[in-house]
Amino acid sequence: MPIRAVLWDIDDTLFDYAGADRAGLRDHLAAEGLAALFSSVDDALRHWKAQTELHWARFIAQETDFQGQRRARVRGFLGVDMDDSEADAWFDRYVAHFEACWALFPDSLATLHELATDFRQAVLSNSRLDYQERKLRILGVRDHFETVLCAAELGVSKPQAAAFHAACDALELPPGEVLYVGNEPDIDAGGAMAAGLAAVWLDRDGVGGRSELVRITDLGQLSRLLTPGRSSWSAG
């Protein structure tokens, strides 16, 4: 079957989440007078990422709600007990610094424009819809996508096949006519392939390996790789 639509991940695929996260946390800790708590920005970021991964997994498992995982991240990161309003206020101040650093990767916009001529485009994200909709609008790319689907509203998340199938259903296309592009080899490309979609792993850091996956290191390679009517995908 020919590929008719490209289904996108957002964070660290189109949007430089890691870069914004580092710069935003650096600026936030400085503003809060907390920079001395950590040996370096990278040390602080490691702690922040650990808390993010821990409590995001709890959110995905429906052990807490979206706001609850944010509060838990703040408490775990600072190692102090805070009431909900204090944790919410701290996180909101962090978000202001984080959002001030938001940016697309340099290759994102050109690729979205180039593919729009021949392919439908949509988003499937392991996040919350209002948050990702707002992000895409601020970044100026929301209009490129027919639909945006997120795990919080779907009740299932990548790499579960049901999440990918929900996106295909929204596009009214069979999985074999949809290509998923994301930066995580297991959650994104591996999950999409297992669900019957075509898939590309965007390996921006050049980690390599995973010969079973179609791999690119920048989105410019995707626009050359993906030609209208292509129906066969092989790794390499």
Side-chain angles (χ1 to χ4, degrees):
M1 287 185 283
I3 302 300
R4 302 188 186 279
V6 178
L7 185 61
W8 290 94
D9 174 53
I10 299 176
D11 296 339
D12 285 325
T13 296
L14 295 170
F15 160 62
D16 186 4
Y17 182 96
D21 199 26
R22 186 184 191 281
L25 185 62
R26 176 200 63 207
D27 295 347
H28 178 55
L29 291 178
E32 297 284 309
L34 297 174
L37 286 179
F38 302 94
S39 60
S40 65
V41 174
D42 289 332
D43 180 44
L45 188 61
R46 281 191 292 272
H47 285 281
W48 183 242
K49 283 184 174 180
Q51 291 299 315
T52 299
E53 291 171 3
L54 172 64
H55 296 293
W56 189 258
R58 293 178 57 239
F59 168 66
I60 292 298
Q62 300 182 332
E63 296 173 4
T64 186
D65 60 16
F66 189 80
Q67 201 65 22
Q69 61 85 24
R70 284 185 163 190
R71 293 165 180 158
R73 286 159 64 185
V74 173
R75 291 169 180 138
F77 178 69
L78 296 176
V80 298
D81 190 22
M82 303 172 112
D83 64 31
D84 287 351
S85 62
E86 290 174 322
D88 289 344
W90 195 96
F91 199 96
D92 288 345
R93 295 193 298 274
Y94 157 73
V95 167
H97 289 107
F98 173 53
E99 292 187 358
C101 301
W102 279 5
L104 295 169
F105 284 106
D107 55 8
S108 296
L109 190 57
T111 301
L112 291 173
H113 279 302
E114 188 170 0
L115 295 183
T117 302
D118 298 299
F119 301 96
R120 300 166 62 190
Q121 299 184 83
V123 164
L124 174 63
S125 168
N126 273 1
S127 187
R128 193 175 74 178
L129 183 60
D130 60 347
Y131 176 67
Q132 295 293 51
E133 284 269 9
R134 179 172 175 272
K135 181 189 293 177
L136 292 171
R137 293 190 187 284
I138 288 174
L139 293 171
V141 295
R142 174 61 183 86
D143 290 345
H144 284 277
F145 308 111
E146 292 184 25
T147 189
V148 177
L149 293 92
C150 291
E153 289 71 29
L154 291 174
V156 290
S157 59
K158 303 177 293 181
Q160 293 172 274
F164 294 100
H165 292 164
C168 294
D169 290 345
L171 291 166
E172 297 184 338
L173 291 174
E177 294 184 1
V178 179
L179 171 72
Y180 195 83
V181 182
N183 68 295
E184 295 283 354
D186 296 320
I187 293 172
D188 292 325
M193 287 179 62
L197 287 71
V200 168
W201 170 30
L202 176 60
D203 178 19
R204 289 191 182 275
D205 294 330
V207 175
R210 304 301 297 271
S211 60
E212 78 278 15
L213 301 176
V214 176
R215 184 179 72 95
I216 59 175
T217 55
D218 68 73
L219 290 181
Q221 295 168 344
L222 177 66
S223 59
R224 294 191 295 270
L225 177 68
L226 184 59
T227 56
R230 177 170 179 171
S231 59
S232 177
W233 284 83
S234 60

